[in-house]
């Protein structure tokens, strides 16, 4: 019965709040199949503290920028679902064999999350975990507020801005493999610091994943 109710609500929501593609304005999805192919530019980098970092697109692409801004400022769970689908397609092949990962998100401070009401990275991580059939757990805590990385031009200042900003969450059970999720990567300093803290706690394998760079 709950599945039928969920489908009914989803159908009603689509009628009241229809979705239109950010690329071509076609009704149905925020990124239609054609525009989704257009925005996808998977890229892999190799930071110091992780196996690799994978991003699915460039933030400079207008349609992807609109999707991420809606996610970030409107708490749009349906946008997070679509973006997580994209991430899952790019990330999935690296997770088929070997260790089973735990999915976690780059955290916000409690104060920041209270003001905004949600953490967009957390929304993405939960949808990604559901899409890939893995567990999603909060493994990190952000212990102080930082200036947005995009506002800092100097690389050394960006590194200093994220230094010591995370700690392992309480009651943390160390897994062997973790995938760290964020919405956007600017320089990679935030992800690398999160990976450093996880690595120091005993995590053996770490992959970082974001929608865009």
């Amino acid at each position: 019965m709950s599945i039928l109710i969920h489908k009914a609500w989803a159908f009603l929501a689509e009628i009241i709040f229809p979705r239109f593609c950010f690329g071509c304005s076609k009704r149905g999805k925020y990124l239609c199949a054609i525009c989704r192919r257009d925005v996808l530019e998977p890229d892999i980098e190799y930071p110091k503290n992780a196996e690799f970092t994978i991003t699915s697109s460039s933030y400079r692409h207008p349609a992807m920028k609109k999707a991420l801004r809606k996610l970030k400022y409107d708490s749009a769970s349906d946008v997070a679902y679509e973006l997580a689908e994209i991430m899952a397609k790019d990330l999935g092949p690296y997770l088929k064999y070997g260790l089973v990962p735990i999915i976690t998100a780059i955290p916000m401070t409690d104060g920041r999350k209270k003001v905004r009401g949600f953490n967009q990275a957390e929304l993405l991580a939960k949808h990604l975990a559901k899409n890939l059939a893995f567990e999603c757990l909060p493994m990190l805590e952000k212990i102080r507020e930082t200036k947005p990385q995009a506002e800092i031009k100097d690389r050394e200042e960006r590194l200093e801005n994220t230094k010591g900003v995370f700690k392992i969450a309480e009651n943390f059970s160390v897994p062997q493999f973790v995938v760290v999720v964020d919405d956007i990567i600017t320089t990679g300093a935030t992800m690398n610091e999160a990976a450093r803290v996880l690595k120091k706690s005993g995590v053996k394998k770490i992959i970082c994943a974001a929608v865009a760079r």
Side-chain angles (χ1 to χ4, degrees):
M1 182 63 70
S2 60
I3 295 176
L4 292 175
I5 292 173
H6 176 77
K7 288 184 176 179
W9 273 112
F11 178 74
L12 184 61
E14 179 57 31
I15 294 175
I16 300 174
F17 306 106
R19 288 177 285 179
F20 296 94
C21 178
F22 289 125
C24 66
S25 300
K26 180 180 178 181
R27 182 169 177 167
K29 286 182 174 290
Y30 288 117
L31 288 170
C32 72
I34 294 174
C35 291
R36 187 175 291 195
R37 288 197 297 269
D38 187 42
V39 304
L40 290 185
E41 298 175 14
D43 185 67
I44 290 181
E45 294 183 354
Y46 299 91
K48 181 180 179 180
N49 294 306
E51 298 281 320
F52 60 85
T53 295
I54 183 167
T55 52
S56 298
S57 182
S58 169
Y59 187 66
R60 292 174 180 167
H61 195 291
M64 182 56 74
K65 187 173 184 177
K66 288 178 183 177
L68 285 164
R69 287 182 67 84
K70 186 169 182 64
L71 168 67
K72 192 167 186 174
Y73 299 112
D74 293 344
S75 181
S77 184
D78 48 352
V79 176
Y81 177 82
E82 287 192 28
L83 295 176
E85 279 185 328
I86 292 172
M87 294 178 72
K89 186 176 180 180
D90 291 333
L91 185 61
Y94 298 98
L95 308 178
K96 283 185 177 180
Y97 310 103
L99 298 173
V100 175
I102 296 295
I103 310 294
T104 198
I106 292 292
M108 287 180 169
T109 59
D110 291 340
R112 179 63 174 165
K113 188 174 180 179
K114 186 175 181 180
V115 170
R116 178 169 287 183
F118 68 99
N119 176 359
Q120 70 274 9
E122 193 175 88
L123 286 176
L124 284 170
K126 287 179 178 179
H127 283 298
L128 179 64
K130 187 174 182 180
N131 194 297
L132 295 170
F134 294 133
E135 191 173 9
C136 182
L137 294 173
M139 296 187 184
L140 295 165
E141 294 179 5
K142 191 172 183 180
I143 57 179
R144 62 177 172 82
E145 199 57 76
T146 55
K147 187 176 180 180
Q149 290 290 85
E151 295 180 10
I152 304 173
K153 303 303 179 183
D154 182 73
R155 177 173 174 77
E156 292 302 318
E157 188 179 347
R158 282 174 169 170
L159 293 172
E160 191 63 30
N161 189 50
T162 59
K163 190 175 180 180
V165 74
F166 300 119
K167 72 172 185 177
I168 296 299
E170 293 183 11
N171 303 316
F172 177 75
S173 180
V174 180
Q176 290 186 298
F177 183 13
V178 174
V179 175
V180 188
V181 175
D182 205 354
D183 56 341
I184 304 169
I185 288 179
T186 306
T187 62
T190 301
M191 280 288 210
N192 197 51
E193 177 64 12
R196 185 190 69 80
V197 173
L198 288 167
K199 190 175 182 180
K200 188 177 179 180
S201 75
V203 179
K204 301 299 182 185
K205 183 176 181 180
I206 301 164
I207 292 176
C208 299
V211 179
R213 59 195 174 277

